[in-house]
Amino acid sequence: MRLPRNAHLWLPGLVRSDWRREVPPPTGPIDVLFCIADHFEPAHGSPGLEIERARVRRWTEQLPKLAARFRDADGRPPRHTFFFPAEQYRPEHLDALASLCQAGLAEVEVHLHHDNDTSDALRETLLTFKHRLFYDHGLLTTTPDAVAAYGFVHGNWALDNARPDGRFCGVNDEITILRETGCYADFTQPAGPDVSQTRTVNSIYYACDDPVRPRSHDRGVDAHAGQ
């Protein structure tokens, strides 16, 4: 049997996750959460502004109709999470998505494609985009001390310079920079069969960054409630 591409990265972790996972007995209702991490890129393929606008308009027109059909146990409609690429920033698109957020139908988080980057330039990019989302468009969440925070998805899955060829990132201390600039969680994975796939799968975990080496998120410490 031929294994899928790059299975040596994720298959052992998948097997371990199946037999190591402890499932506590239910003591009440069980909440099931789905995170739709949409790499939302209206400018993908450089189609021109009118097509970009049409792509965004389709969401603003159709999502309310779709969401109206569903409610969760708390009576809330589904919320679609748009990870918007910082390098494709266009104010009118964010204003349109903000209208969906104000209606309780969406969230906007941070997405970024970059290549051959530096730590200082990455830090400036993330802080500039975070401030635009928060102050100019009324988006993102805040920490208990009222500081803007964001979720993150890395373009091309190459978080923390994860590719062996160093493409589509270039920053070995990216996880540290994400934390310093207000990122509360990264949602890049899963990436398989791409070579950027981590060895840890099916887990919510804390990664400890090695600022001089890539792929610090390959493994980590499992998160637990109340920890």
Side-chain angles (χ1 to χ4, degrees), residues 80-154:
H80 190 86
T81 307
F82 297 92
F83 284 81
F84 198 97
E87 78 281 358
Q88 296 180 17
Y89 175 67
R90 197 180 293 277
E92 64 181 89
H93 297 341
L94 272 305
D95 285 339
L97 296 182
S99 68
L100 293 175
C101 296
Q102 291 163 4
L105 303 177
E107 299 171 319
V108 173
E109 302 286 6
V110 176
H111 187 30
L112 177 66
H113 303 85
H114 62 149
D115 193 11
N116 195 29
D117 209 348
T118 66
S119 300
D120 289 341
L122 173 62
R123 185 179 290 104
E124 181 178 357
T125 296
L126 291 173
L127 286 175
T128 297
F129 191 53
K130 183 182 79 167
H131 291 158
R132 282 174 170 171
L133 294 179
F134 187 69
Y135 292 108
D136 296 347
H137 303 282
L139 299 168
L140 303 182
T141 188
T142 57
T143 64
D145 51 355
V147 176
Y150 65 93
F152 185 72
V153 163
H154 197 293

Side-chain angles (χ1 to χ4, degrees), residues 183-195:
C183 178
Y184 64 84
D186 175 82
F187 298 90
T188 301
Q189 298 292 318
D194 189 84
V195 71

Side-chain angles (χ1 to χ4, degrees), residues 124-211:
E124 181 178 357
T125 296
L126 291 173
L127 286 175
T128 297
F129 191 53
K130 183 182 79 167
H131 291 158
R132 282 174 170 171
L133 294 179
F134 187 69
Y135 292 108
D136 296 347
H137 303 282
L139 299 168
L140 303 182
T141 188
T142 57
T143 64
D145 51 355
V147 176
Y150 65 93
F152 185 72
V153 163
H154 197 293
N156 307 107
W157 304 289
L159 177 68
D160 204 49
N161 218 14
R163 290 176 57 93
D165 61 5
R167 290 297 311 278
F168 308 125
C169 186
V171 182
N172 285 336
D173 59 341
E174 186 163 46
I175 291 174
T176 295
I177 293 170
L178 288 171
R179 186 184 69 247
E180 290 175 351
T181 55
C183 178
Y184 64 84
D186 175 82
F187 298 90
T188 301
Q189 298 292 318
D194 189 84
V195 71
S196 298
Q197 173 65 45
T198 58
R199 288 175 170 80
T200 301
V201 299
N202 290 350
S203 178
I204 300 174
Y205 62 101
Y206 297 99
C208 297
D209 195 18
D210 182 336

